[in-house]
Amino acid sequence: MQRPEWLANPWRQNPWFESVAVAQERARKRLPKPVYGALVAGSERGQTIAENERAFGELGLAPHVVGQHAERRLSTTVFGRDVALPVLLSPTGVQAVHPDGEVAVARAAAARGTVVGLSNFASKSVEEVTATGADTFFQMYWTGDRDTMVQRMQRAHAAGVHGLIATLDWSFSTGRDWGSPEIPEQVDLKTMVRMAPKVVTKPRWLWEFGRTGAIPDLTAPNLAPPGGTAPTFFGAYYEWMTTPPPSWDDVAWMRRTWSQISGTPFVLKGVCRVDDALRAVDVGVAGISVSNHGGNNLDGTPAAIRMVRPIADRVGGQIDVVMDGGVRRGSDVVKALALGAKAVLIGRAYLWGLAANGGAGVENVLDVLSGGIDSALRGLAVGSVTELTPEHLLIPADFDRTLGGTSAPSDLLFDR
């Protein structure tokens, strides 16, 4: 006799949610305060994280009353990969909001036909994630010496990833005006006793981990040396902190090395300036992500959506331009594409879905965004996401932020 669902999960509720905002609220109620705080916190005063969302509200849509298409096409191609919708899952660090973490996220990406990024600092190995069948891009920071980075690239290629994302825009400001959430070095018995008052009030979260017999994993298995032990998150952070920052020559080496190892796309994440975008083209990247690291980097950076059009206008004909930062609804995706992005990356949005309902919650978030994209296309009388242009928007005259000028750099030429 099969036991009833309410007995299998005593905190059962209607698992479906109709918006990313509802997913966020469920995540807030479900997660211990330090865990939820790590998801929503930005650097310093939080100016950039707030601006990332607010800027989308300044863009209007210009609908048609007649001429809508009976069917709309959401599929596109980005970084050489065919995707069912122009929403990719951004690499994010240790996903301790759910015991299945990055594996659940990858399964959701595969189920919805899109690409998932896997972080250097992920809590699941690249082998576990690619085993789901998900179209996976491995993300690397510039951390460790070159031999170490080559070993990590080779491991990712052997696991079957379809591209590499280099994230270079992290400066890690610890000065948050509201205080930083506590992240322990490791979850051992002493830590669990000390943090018990903060988690005992979240029985559903505890129950999810308890039923699997697991505890939140704060190690980084993708940074483990061959035959060695995975470092803790802070051990990985120390390696990054003690690695000299890269030059453009280093980025060119990274791109060439990945091309020799894999031959799959190399993407540079964290571009905010036109001159940096032009240098990225010189290096030979397949694409860039216009991003301010979700407001977790240099506070005071303009909203990512404000920097899309100036960059896409200069390099969008040569490489794929995507953006991330502040995407919360399907109409946000449509606005980004109309300004020149090929797709968007989401981070917090799918983590809230993961916290709310595991892998099904991530699928739910993608369905919410897909439905919003389709609805916007219908209202705009557009038959495909590839047909969106700035003419479909109402754009304030002072909306764009052009950083780094518009002239091409002449001092650097790289051997591709």
Side-chain angles (χ1 to χ4, degrees), residues 356-392:
N357 194 30
V362 180
E363 293 181 33
N364 194 157
V365 166
L366 290 171
D367 290 344
V368 165
L369 296 178
S370 179
I373 296 168
D374 185 68
S375 179
L377 292 181
R378 178 179 176 123
L380 295 170
V382 173
S384 169
V385 292
T386 61
E387 299 171 8
L388 291 163
T389 70
E391 284 67 39
H392 294 110

Side-chain angles (χ1 to χ4, degrees), residues 9 11 13 15 17 20 22-32 35-40 92 94-102 104-105 108 202-209 211 347-365:
N9 184 350
W11 293 280
Q13 62 177 348
F17 43 82
V20 173
V22 173
Q24 180 181 359
E25 178 60 14
R26 290 193 184 177
R28 184 191 68 80
K29 291 180 178 179
R30 189 183 191 98
L31 296 174
V35 179
Y36 179 74
L39 294 185
V40 298
T92 65
V94 179
Q95 294 177 7
V97 300
H98 190 275
D100 294 334
E102 293 86 357
V105 172
K202 303 296 180 179
R204 277 183 284 183
W205 185 77
L206 284 173
W207 180 83
E208 284 287 347
F209 279 93
R211 71 183 179 86
R348 290 182 176 92
Y350 81 74
L351 290 176
W352 291 328
L354 180 65
N357 194 30
V362 180
E363 293 181 33
N364 194 157
V365 166

Side-chain angles (χ1 to χ4, degrees), residues 52-385:
N52 272 347
E53 291 191 52
R54 184 167 52 240
F56 278 103
E58 294 184 21
L59 295 169
L61 299 171
H64 284 282
V65 68
V66 174
Q68 293 91 345
H69 295 255
E71 295 182 1
R72 280 77 56 191
R73 184 166 66 87
L74 274 61
S75 60
T76 188
T77 301
V78 59
F79 306 144
R81 310 303 299 175
D82 294 330
V83 291
L85 73 164
V87 180
L88 317 180
L89 302 184
S90 185
T92 65
V94 179
Q95 294 177 7
V97 300
H98 190 275
D100 294 334
E102 293 86 357
V103 171
V105 172
R107 287 174 180 149
R112 293 299 180 267
T114 192
V115 168
V116 62
L118 179 69
S119 173
N120 248 170
F121 292 174
S123 60
K124 303 293 184 183
S125 72
V126 63
E127 292 82 7
E128 290 177 278
V129 169
T130 56
T132 66
D135 198 343
T136 307
F137 276 47
F138 186 64
Q139 178 257 12
M140 288 181 60
Y141 290 93
W142 183 263
T143 174
D145 59 28
R146 286 191 174 190
D147 288 343
T148 298
M149 285 185 265
V150 169
Q151 176 267 315
R152 290 167 181 166
M153 291 184 205
Q154 291 172 334
R155 177 181 172 183
H157 170 64
V161 304
H162 295 128
L164 187 76
I165 300 172
T167 299
L168 305 180
D169 66 335
W170 192 31
S171 62
F172 194 77
S173 171
T174 59
R176 295 185 171 114
D177 287 5
W178 51 89
S180 297
E182 180 183 5
I183 302 175
E185 173 74 12
Q186 58 184 345
V187 182
D188 53 17
L189 179 60
K190 182 179 179 181
T191 301
M192 288 189 285
V193 170
R194 179 172 54 82
M195 299 193 73
K198 298 179 181 180
V199 302
V200 73
T201 58
K202 303 296 180 179
R204 277 183 284 183
W205 185 77
L206 284 173
W207 180 83
E208 284 287 347
F209 279 93
R211 71 183 179 86
T212 64
I215 59 174
D217 188 356
L218 301 183
T219 61
N222 294 309
L223 297 181
T229 303
T232 65
F233 176 84
F234 286 101
Y237 167 66
Y238 178 79
E239 181 187 82
W240 169 82
M241 200 173 176
T242 54
T243 302
S247 65
W248 278 106
D249 286 328
D250 290 325
V251 179
W253 169 84
M254 196 177 196
R255 198 281 306 165
R256 286 195 307 269
T257 303
W258 178 250
S259 180
Q260 293 164 3
I261 291 172
S262 173
T264 58
F266 179 92
V267 179
L268 182 62
K269 186 175 184 293
V271 177
C272 292
R273 299 169 57 101
V274 172
D275 51 359
D276 281 348
L278 291 165
R279 288 172 183 262
V281 171
D282 280 344
V283 166
V285 304
I288 58 175
S289 176
V290 179
S291 170
N292 50 40
H293 213 98
N296 266 315
N297 183 31
L298 186 64
D299 200 30
T301 304
I305 188 63
R306 296 188 188 279
M307 301 181 287
V308 169
R309 184 162 60 161
I311 291 174
D313 283 351
R314 290 307 306 276
V315 304
Q318 299 166 274
I319 60 175
D320 284 350
V321 176
V322 302
M323 68 80 60
D324 70 87
V327 174
R328 300 292 183 265
R329 49 197 62 83
S331 59
D332 294 342
V333 180
V334 166
K335 292 171 182 178
L337 269 56
L339 291 177
K342 290 288 293 289
V344 304
L345 292 161
I346 60 171
R348 290 182 176 92
Y350 81 74
L351 290 176
W352 291 328
L354 180 65
N357 194 30
V362 180
E363 293 181 33
N364 194 157
V365 166
L366 290 171
D367 290 344
V368 165
L369 296 178
S370 179
I373 296 168
D374 185 68
S375 179
L377 292 181
R378 178 179 176 123
L380 295 170
V382 173
S384 169
V385 292

